[in-house]
Amino acid sequence: MTTAFNNYLNKHNYPKIDLKAILFDMDGVLYDSMKWHAKSWKETMDEFDIPSTSEEFYLYEGMVGSHTINDLMKREKGREATEDEIKTIYKRKTELFSKYNDGSLIPYAYDFVKMVHDAGLTCVVVTGSGQPTLINKLEHNFPGLFQKELMVTAFDVKHGKPHPEPYLMGLEKAGHLKPNEAIVVENAPRGVEAAVAAGIFTIAINTGPMPDKVLADAGADIVLPSMKALYDRWDELYGIIKATKV
Ligand code: CA
């Protein structure tokens, strides 16, 4: 663990991590929703006669929906998707997701957010999702722990993950923070790439079907098997974070 922090500090030439905020990805980190996203994407693509596999949507996870649609269109049909197609396909995917999603949380997500929030850290959600009711859902499941003004969603950014913009905006919203004043909790390779490109220490939790290596290869500083593991090891991690100096 200490090695991961030291490697990060050396790479960016930071004297330490002065932790003020934790930036959380949403699907697969807070909500156990990735299986429903994958199922909805696959069924939507089948309906529109665009070949895909359920598994590949775990790789695209975190990307803005329109980019996923356009990438598949280019691959399978050899052309860009039109605005209308993007709208229609994404609408159908959203419909199916609403039908399947049972709203269940990742085990220990609430406990972890509550713990770090009560320890005085600012908690920010940075998601590629564009569901209009997102904040209500968050407020219902994590009452008082996230603020609407601090959220970064698909509506806020021009470039989705793996571009660093969502996480850079998260730093801004959290209080004009520098990259070494926050850490990111992510579960998807494209999300990890975005966080790493933003220069932020990135903890990946592997809540999906992919091997840990995919997350490590994407650049995650630490890969943990679950939110519970992060919760259980937080004292140790926070101790190392606070101790880091030149
Ligand atoms: Ca995710």
Side-chain angles (χ1 to χ4, degrees):
M1 287 292 173
T2 312
T3 311
F5 282 99
N6 285 335
N7 289 346
Y8 169 84
L9 295 175
N10 289 335
K11 181 178 160 196
H12 295 277
N13 205 19
Y14 291 131
K16 61 182 215 165
I17 296 177
D18 184 9
L19 192 62
K20 292 176 178 155
I22 302 187
L23 311 184
F24 291 92
D25 168 54
M26 190 176 71
D27 290 298
V29 167
L30 301 178
Y31 290 97
D32 191 10
S33 45
M34 261 318 293
K35 53 182 183 282
W36 307 127
H37 279 293
K39 183 177 164 68
S40 311
W41 273 120
K42 175 73 175 87
E43 287 185 20
T44 303
M45 291 301 167
D46 287 351
E47 286 178 18
F48 287 87
D49 196 27
I50 300 170
S52 68
T53 65
S54 305
E55 292 74 33
E56 71 176 310
F57 294 106
Y58 285 92
L59 294 173
Y60 308 146
E61 187 191 344
M63 282 168 62
V64 178
S66 58
H67 293 180
T68 300
I69 294 165
N70 203 38
D71 285 358
L72 281 174
M73 193 66 96
K74 280 196 278 195
R75 186 185 74 194
E76 297 299 332
K77 309 282 181 189
R79 62 171 179 85
E80 306 269 333
T82 65
E83 285 295 314
D84 269 1
E85 284 170 331
I86 287 175
K87 228 188 221 170
T88 314
I89 294 173
Y90 193 63
K91 184 167 172 271
R92 179 59 178 152
K93 187 262 166 181
T94 306
E95 247 168 44
L96 288 176
F97 178 71
S98 307
K99 185 171 92 177
Y100 295 133
N101 182 26
D102 60 4
S104 58
L105 297 180
I106 291 283
Y108 284 83
Y110 173 81
D111 309 73
F112 182 73
V113 176
K114 172 85 176 139
M115 175 173 69
V116 296
H117 173 272
D118 290 356
L121 297 173
T122 303
C123 295
V124 177
V125 169
V126 178
T127 176
S129 173
Q131 304 165 56
T133 56
L134 218 58
I135 186 65
N136 302 337
K137 198 170 82 165
L138 277 167
E139 188 51 33
H140 176 72
N141 294 116
F142 299 87
L145 302 180
F146 294 107
Q147 297 168 47
K148 188 181 180 184
E149 312 76 64
L150 304 191
M151 283 184 70
V152 179
T153 72
F155 300 115
D156 297 302
V157 296
K158 198 158 137 222
H159 308 283
K161 303 170 186 177
H163 195 281
E165 187 190 0
Y167 280 112
L168 292 173
M169 191 176 284
L171 291 175
E172 271 309 298
K173 289 199 178 193
H176 311 292
L177 301 185
K178 297 186 193 76
N180 64 325
E181 293 177 317
I183 60 173
V184 166
V185 184
E186 258 289 351
N187 75 307
R190 298 291 87 80
V192 167
E193 284 170 17
V196 169
I200 309 170
F201 189 88
T202 305
I203 299 173
I205 57 160
N206 193 359
T207 58
M210 286 171 302
D212 284 358
K213 189 176 182 303
V214 176
L215 295 164
D217 288 351
D221 295 284
I222 295 175
V223 182
L224 294 173
S226 62
M227 206 55 165
K228 181 176 189 304
L230 179 57
Y231 178 84
D232 288 342
R233 301 190 67 170
W234 181 246
D235 280 349
E236 178 199 347
L237 284 168
Y238 202 19
I240 295 170
I241 291 170
K242 284 190 287 198
T244 49
K245 293 239 165 61
V246 238

